[in-house]
Amino acid sequence: MIPSNARLPRTAVIREVGLRDGLQSIATILPTEQKREWIRAAHAAGQREIEVGSFVPARLLPQLADTGELVAYAKTLPDLFVSVLVPNLRGAESAIAAEADLMIVPLSASHTHSLANLRKTPDDVVAEVAKIRAARDAAGSKTLIEGGVGTAFGCTLQGHVEKSEVLRLMQALLDAGADRVSIADTVGYADPGMVRDLFEEALRIAGDRFWCGHFHDTRGLGLANVYAALEVGVNRFDACLAGIGGCPHAPGASGNVSTEDLAYMLGSMGIASGIDIEQLLALRKQVAEWLQGETLHGSLWQAGLPKTFGQSLATA
Amino acid sequence: MIPSNARLPRTAVIREVGLRDGLQSIATILPTEQKREWIRAAHAAGQREIEVGSFVPARLLPQLADTGELVAYAKTLPDLFVSVLVPNLRGAESAIAAEADLMIVPLSASHTHSLANLRKTPDDVVAEVAKIRAARDAAGSKTLIEGGVGTAFGCTLQGHVEKSEVLRLMQALLDAGADRVSIADTVGYADPGMVRDLFEEALRIAGDRFWCGHFHDTRGLGLANVYAALEVGVNRFDACLAGIGGCPHAPGASGNVSTEDLAYMLGSMGIASGIDIEQLLALRKQVAEWLQGETLHGSLWQAGLPKTFGQSLATA
């Protein structure tokens, strides 16, 4: 019999978003020196894609005011692909100037959420991406543009979000010049069946330009959703060390899928991520000390790796 | 396009094992009156299979000393299928006398764990099942016998457990007269790829006599593992309200998949379980008050149901 895992990607990338999606959602402001150490240690543990921050006005997100410095530092580390979030053209100009490898422009497929959160319609954001593309090309910059479609499985404000609208906006982002697109369940509404349905269609539209799945573990389905996405061929996922973060509209709820649990799931299934989990757990311990008083998440740190970890391929 | 969920079972059963696997692993001894209330409310919320306890000597598990009373009470509730755990022939005689609908005989596929925990080899347990079958038939009893193969994905003591050994023991249980067989990841070592591999083969061996998947969420993969099992056609799962329980060999680690999170995942995917989740969450709140000081688990109780819950089928 062909092992079931033969259906799955052989490699996968975990993009660390704890320094952006995680830190922007909690009260603690981590000093730049500690963020640099986090980036250094994550890289040393094998992580090769990190979203280091967001180019937003410091008065809005003082937690991320040092994004420029962090891009500069991260770019000194070999083979590290450095991402930042940019909400608009002004942020994109900063990302281009900083020579980030990729800038993520978030779009909310929920019109209600988009208006409440960004004071723009989703199509306004698509238009902004076209301007960002023009500015990027005019600058002769190599910074890739990723359009990230959030609230793709529903919204705490609006409720239902049409799948056809998510796919329309994804196509519009590509047409406007996004080099990559991704899908995010920013509120933890997705289930594995929905993920499979939507991601299959998204891959048909975007092909190789489909970049990333972003799942929150708000209702415990984060890793089940990752597994469903792996089954249809997606192999890049956002995650936050210690599952930090969450959603301002869902207080107390957990944030992104935790990096260490996801790295464990991939490793257990024999999907290479390049991550040394023991090193990652050591970093988690360090970050937990820095973030004392914040609610952290994840399971592996408490239970430890199984005795059998790493044997699955040898004994398959 | 055929919706992906068309590949999945249309209905599924959650067997509540909190009163046995949960309560046996924690210090609090819940009074019989509260257990009766738990059973009553779980039934009222739509649960139709409950493992109410274990026929073991009270000196070993004082938490479960009232199992006989609970079987008698549970059998007064309409359409409730009442299970108990029995470690040996003596326990089985009690289950037969109590007229339980089903008795689960646990077997550990790990020889080391079997000897440490039961002071028997796995094949000794198979021989015990043959005796139990003979006693059941001699008594003219209708109590079904389930052989449950635990440590099926590895063991905290022994490490690796051969898949071929798990399947051999499952076949041996059927040959010895078990009416049903099930597979348990009692230590949280499974990943979705392993589940798919093993359960596909188990279903080929046991067919309709394959009864149940039992997953612990020790490393966060519990629901991902359930999803993998659903994909190969398994549609009955053990779960504990509030994810109580765990493993004496993994202190602090979470226990079984939590009933409420599993009910949410099934409901979100349009797989009918007959459970009213709001009623289940009310019961969880009650049980949490009874178990003050114990570590509870699960996510849904904190985040609540999505606004869109129950709409997925209508809008598919």
Side-chain angles (χ1 to χ4, degrees), chain A:
Chain A
M1 192 182 82
I2 298 167
S4 302
N5 287 356
R7 303 168 303 112
L8 300 176
R10 300 174 69 92
T11 65
V13 174
I14 300 176
R15 176 166 64 183
E16 178 63 49
V17 299
L19 290 133
R20 198 277 304 167
D21 201 0
L23 292 181
Q24 79 171 43
S25 310
I26 63 178
T28 305
I29 299 186
L30 210 59
T32 304
E33 194 44 52
Q34 294 181 351
K35 292 187 189 180
R36 287 165 56 111
E37 173 57 18
W38 182 345
I39 294 167
R40 187 204 62 73
H43 177 265
Q47 293 198 262
R48 288 294 175 269
E49 296 200 17
I50 303 181
E51 187 185 37
V52 299
S54 180
F55 281 115
V56 287
R59 67 181 164 80
L60 294 181
L61 282 177
Q63 300 98 315
L64 307 184
D66 53 3
T67 296
E69 275 179 84
L70 295 175
V71 173
Y73 171 67
K75 285 181 59 70
T76 67
L77 298 172
D79 300 321
L80 182 60
F81 191 84
V82 183
S83 298
V84 290
L85 187 139
V86 301
N88 50 33
L89 178 60
R90 181 173 299 186
E93 287 165 348
S94 300
I96 290 165
E99 298 182 16
D101 293 304
L102 181 144
M103 51 187 162
I104 302 143
V105 187
L107 175 154
S108 189
S110 156
H111 288 234
T112 311
H113 183 263
S114 187
L115 290 169
N117 198 44
L118 302 169
R119 282 176 291 177
K120 289 177 187 170
T121 68
D123 289 286
D124 290 339
V125 176
V126 170
E128 194 80 7
V129 166
K131 287 184 206 162
I132 291 170
R133 174 62 186 255
R136 192 272 308 266
D137 290 351
S141 157
K142 289 179 180 163
T143 302
L144 292 174
I145 301 164
E146 173 181 342
V149 184
T151 60
F153 298 91
C155 167
T156 49
L157 303 174
Q158 173 178 312
H160 187 67
V161 171
E162 286 290 337
K163 184 168 73 174
S164 58
E165 178 66 355
V166 173
L167 296 170
R168 179 187 76 78
L169 288 163
M170 169 170 285
Q171 183 65 63
L173 285 165
L174 291 167
D175 293 343
D179 304 292
R180 303 280 185 268
V181 286
S182 55
I183 288 178
D185 175 26
T186 35
V187 293
Y189 271 28
D191 69 49
M194 293 182 204
V195 169
R196 198 175 163 113
D197 268 351
L198 181 58
F199 278 45
E200 273 181 347
E201 296 198 40
L203 286 167
R204 268 199 286 276
I205 289 172
D208 287 349
R209 292 182 294 174
F210 190 91
W211 193 241
C212 198
H214 177 110
F215 298 108
H216 281 237
D217 196 37
T218 320
R219 292 168 181 82
L221 305 192
L223 290 177
N225 291 336
V226 167
Y227 177 64
L230 284 166
E231 287 195 307
V232 298
V234 173
N235 73 340
R236 180 178 278 97
F237 300 96
D238 285 346
C240 281
L241 196 67
I244 59 170
C247 175
H249 302 297
S254 59
N256 288 260
V257 163
S258 87
T259 306
E260 62 276 18
D261 288 6
L262 174 52
Y264 159 62
M265 183 171 88
L266 294 173
S268 182
M269 291 200 290
I271 298 172
S273 73
I275 292 176
D276 180 317
I277 294 180
E278 295 291 3
Q279 280 190 60
L280 197 65
L281 289 174
L283 173 58
R284 186 199 194 278
K285 196 174 167 192
Q286 174 66 78
V287 170
E289 282 169 25
W290 292 335
L291 298 181
Q292 267 176 37
E294 301 288 353
T295 304
L296 306 183
H297 299 278
S299 296
L300 184 69
W301 70 276
Q302 196 163 19
L305 285 169
K307 267 194 176 174
T308 50
F309 186 75
Q311 295 179 12
S312 48
L313 286 186
T315 58

Side-chain angles (χ1 to χ4, degrees), chain B residues 109-120:
Chain B
S110 155
H111 287 234
T112 311
H113 182 263
S114 187
L115 290 170
N117 198 42
L118 302 169
R119 282 175 291 177
K120 290 177 188 171

Side-chain angles (χ1 to χ4, degrees), chain B residues 169-193:
Chain B
L169 289 163
M170 168 171 286
Q171 183 65 63
L173 284 165
L174 291 167
D175 293 344
D179 305 292
R180 303 281 185 268
V181 287
S182 55
I183 288 179
D185 175 26
T186 35
V187 293
Y189 271 29
D191 69 49

Side-chain angles (χ1 to χ4, degrees), chain B residues 23-286:
Chain B
L23 292 181
Q24 80 170 42
S25 310
I26 63 179
T28 304
I29 298 186
L30 210 58
T32 305
E33 193 44 52
Q34 294 181 350
K35 292 188 190 180
R36 288 166 56 111
E37 174 56 17
W38 182 346
I39 294 167
R40 187 203 63 73
H43 177 265
Q47 293 198 261
R48 288 294 175 270
E49 296 200 16
I50 302 180
E51 187 185 37
V52 299
S54 181
F55 281 116
V56 288
R59 67 182 164 77
L60 294 181
L61 281 177
Q63 300 99 313
L64 307 184
D66 53 3
T67 296
E69 274 179 85
L70 295 174
V71 173
Y73 171 67
K75 284 182 59 68
T76 67
L77 298 171
D79 299 321
L80 182 61
F81 190 83
V82 183
S83 298
V84 290
L85 187 139
V86 301
N88 50 32
L89 178 60
R90 181 173 298 187
E93 287 166 347
S94 300
I96 291 166
E99 298 182 16
D101 293 304
L102 182 145
M103 51 188 163
I104 303 142
V105 187
L107 175 154
S108 189
S110 155
H111 287 234
T112 311
H113 182 263
S114 187
L115 290 170
N117 198 42
L118 302 169
R119 282 175 291 177
K120 290 177 188 171
T121 67
D123 289 286
D124 290 339
V125 176
V126 171
E128 194 80 5
V129 165
K131 287 184 207 162
I132 290 170
R133 174 62 186 256
R136 192 272 309 266
D137 291 351
S141 158
K142 289 178 182 164
T143 302
L144 293 174
I145 301 163
E146 172 180 343
V149 184
T151 59
F153 299 91
C155 167
T156 48
L157 303 174
Q158 174 179 311
H160 186 68
V161 171
E162 287 289 338
K163 184 167 73 173
S164 57
E165 178 65 355
V166 173
L167 296 170
R168 180 188 74 79
L169 289 163
M170 168 171 286
Q171 183 65 63
L173 284 165
L174 291 167
D175 293 344
D179 305 292
R180 303 281 185 268
V181 287
S182 55
I183 288 179
D185 175 26
T186 35
V187 293
Y189 271 29
D191 69 49
M194 292 183 206
V195 169
R196 199 176 163 114
D197 268 351
L198 181 58
F199 278 45
E200 272 181 347
E201 296 198 41
L203 286 167
R204 267 200 286 278
I205 289 172
D208 288 348
R209 293 182 293 172
F210 189 91
W211 193 240
C212 199
H214 177 111
F215 297 108
H216 281 235
D217 196 37
T218 320
R219 291 169 181 83
L221 304 193
L223 291 177
N225 291 336
V226 167
Y227 177 64
L230 283 166
E231 286 196 307
V232 298
V234 173
N235 73 339
R236 180 177 277 98
F237 300 96
D238 286 345
C240 281
L241 195 67
I244 60 171
C247 175
H249 302 296
S254 59
N256 288 259
V257 163
S258 87
T259 305
E260 62 276 18
D261 288 5
L262 175 52
Y264 159 62
M265 183 172 88
L266 294 173
S268 181
M269 290 200 290
I271 299 172
S273 74
I275 293 176
D276 181 316
I277 294 179
E278 296 291 4
Q279 280 190 60
L280 198 65
L281 289 174
L283 173 58
R284 186 198 193 278
K285 196 173 166 192
Q286 174 65 78

